[in-house]
Amino acid sequence: DFMSQILLNKTSGLIILISNTASNPLSELKYYLDAHQEFLKQNKAVIGITHNDLKPTPSLSEYNEFIKERGENWPVLKVDARNTDDMQKLLLVLLDTINR
């Protein structure tokens, strides 16, 4: 936890990667959103969902609904963390969100 505060110092946004193969991926997402709640009050985030090929649920719509229920509006994308293009797209979406 202490490293998060160091890494978030002077940053403008946060990329959260969640594995769909986790035992409860929505709980994992909740943990990270809660842990960085103060940062996210003034900064942007984007959420990348990995391992969709191994476990297709929860779906992106379920993630989006979960985020909306929290009163938040972060972009959610399916990504393969090993794929450079996917990770660049995630970063570009974050930068676009920051610049709006």
Side-chain angles (χ1 to χ4, degrees), residues 23-86:
S23 61
N24 188 341
L26 292 174
S27 178
E28 293 277 327
L29 178 57
K30 180 184 182 315
Y31 169 81
Y32 288 108
L33 292 173
D34 289 349
H36 302 297
Q37 181 177 0
E38 289 303 312
F39 176 83
L40 293 172
K41 285 181 181 178
Q42 298 179 1
N43 298 281
K44 305 295 183 176
V46 64
I47 300 160
I49 309 302
T50 67
H51 297 95
N52 294 283
D53 55 333
L54 300 175
K55 187 173 177 235
T57 57
S59 66
L60 288 186
S61 61
E62 289 173 279
Y63 281 102
N64 283 313
E65 184 63 32
F66 175 80
I67 292 167
K68 278 186 181 181
E69 287 174 2
R70 290 176 53 94
E72 298 165 333
N73 186 26
W74 309 121
V76 180
L77 295 90
K78 289 182 182 180
V79 297
D80 182 339
R82 302 165 296 180
N83 183 299
T84 302
D85 290 339
D86 281 5

Side-chain angles (χ1 to χ4, degrees), residues 79-96:
V79 297
D80 182 339
R82 302 165 296 180
N83 183 299
T84 302
D85 290 339
D86 281 5
M87 298 312 293
Q88 286 176 342
K89 181 178 179 183
L90 199 60
L91 183 56
L92 289 173
V93 169
L94 178 60
L95 291 173
D96 182 54

